[in-house]
Amino acid sequence: GITVPIRRIEAAILALADGRTDVVVPGLTRGDEVGRIARAADAMRTNLRRLNHEIRRVAGRTEGEEGGDALSI
């Protein structure tokens, strides 16, 4: 069935929502719709990691240049 795999993916997505990008998304190799959802969740994880990295990079540059607030979003 798909209930258990969906619940595991749900847990991974909730961890991502909490900002945890170290989460491992289960089901990536499945060839069905569950696998497609898992790969979409993993793409979100990858993009969140990139965004967090870019925010830290820009914040560090801004602090070094202005000595004040890091970044306003």
Side-chain angles (χ1 to χ4, degrees):
I2 65 168
T3 302
V4 172
I6 290 290
R7 286 186 179 162
R8 289 179 180 155
I9 294 169
E10 175 191 18
I13 292 170
L14 289 172
L16 287 170
D18 284 338
R20 290 192 41 220
T21 60
D22 62 334
V23 66
V24 175
V25 179
L28 295 173
T29 60
R30 290 180 64 121
D32 59 3
E33 292 83 359
V34 174
R36 291 176 61 193
I37 293 168
R39 288 185 292 280
D42 196 56
M44 287 189 296
R45 182 193 62 81
T46 299
N47 290 336
L48 183 58
R49 290 182 77 162
R50 283 189 199 134
L51 181 60
N52 286 340
H53 175 76
E54 183 67 11
I55 288 170
R56 286 191 301 273
R57 186 186 67 78
V58 170
R61 186 178 68 211
T62 302
E63 285 179 358
E65 292 172 359
E66 299 175 10
D69 292 338
L71 181 64
S72 297
I73 298 178

